[in-house]
Amino acid sequence: MAENTVTVTVAYGSTKHSITVTGLDGNEPILKDLSDALVQVTGVPMPAQKLIFKGKSLKEMEESLSSFGIKQGCKLMMIGKRNSPEEESELKKLKDIEKSVEQTAKKLEKVDGELAGLKNGFLAKDLQAEALGRLDQRVKVASEQFMKILEQVDSMTLPENFGDCRMKKKGLVKTVQGFLAQCDKIEAGILDHLAKIQSKNLALADS
């Protein structure tokens, strides 16, 4: 039975780090868990790390440590460069932008939940149209915020060697584009529900 907590020694430069890695959800630790821990301890980003065990370079991040023969008390070596202070500063900017993406996404989630409530008919028909109008406004605000964030990320010029930053920037752009698509979907849902209410109201007026 493989342990779900392993302590190993990793030599980086002239320093030896004792790293204790615990697997997620009771599973045994994988190489990515060790790599994550080394980012915290050494400041070397994951893409720049080269982990060596018994002369072999370890690459398969999702593989368990035990599959490489790594167990309690084993010694490994790591080679890799820390990010420059300039890159760290750009990374911090991207992390701050990431936080504002999360905050806007939470607002969008709330709108989606309220729209589902309206569709289930928790409100009188005359009040529904008014509520939908307010929701539509909130989606538009969220969409504008996402667009501003996208412009902000796009305007960042990162040198070729800022690999960590470039990867994070790419991921952030993809995430924001996904949320913008979600805004369009929710807005279409609002307009669709509004059209249904109006056609019902017209039918009632005609009868």
Side-chain angles (χ1 to χ4, degrees), residues 158-172:
L158 301 168
E160 281 291 332
N161 61 333
F162 282 18
D164 216 21
C165 274
R166 292 171 80 89
M167 206 162 72
K168 198 165 193 63
K169 178 182 172 178
K170 200 176 171 183
L172 208 48

Side-chain angles (χ1 to χ4, degrees), residues 1 17 21 24 27 35 37-38 53 86 95 100 108 120 133-135 153 156-157 159 166 178 185:
M1 168 87 185
H17 298 281
V21 197
L24 293 174
N27 295 315
S35 188
L38 284 164
F53 179 60
E86 292 79 13
K95 279 173 187 165
S100 58
L108 193 62
N120 290 329
R134 282 200 297 271
L135 287 183
V153 176
M156 285 176 81
T157 310
R166 292 171 80 89
K185 199 174 164 189

Side-chain angles (χ1 to χ4, degrees), residues 94-95 97-106 108-109 142-143 145-147 149-151 153-154 166-184:
L94 284 163
K95 279 173 187 165
I97 294 171
E98 213 167 28
K99 278 181 197 159
S100 58
V101 169
E102 281 166 20
Q103 285 165 353
T104 309
K106 275 178 191 165
L108 193 62
E109 207 178 306
S143 187
Q145 281 172 329
F146 282 132
M147 285 300 289
I149 289 168
L150 204 53
E151 282 167 19
V153 176
D154 270 343
R166 292 171 80 89
M167 206 162 72
K168 198 165 193 63
K169 178 182 172 178
K170 200 176 171 183
L172 208 48
V173 166
K174 208 171 173 182
T175 302
V176 175
Q177 285 170 338
F179 282 128
L180 277 167
Q182 206 179 330
C183 284
D184 291 342

Side-chain angles (χ1 to χ4, degrees), residues 4-8 19-23 29-30 32-35 37 65:
N4 73 334
T5 298
V6 179
T7 301
V8 294
I19 311 274
T20 299
V21 197
T22 304
I30 58 173
K32 187 178 182 294
D33 297 326
L34 177 59
S35 188
L65 294 182

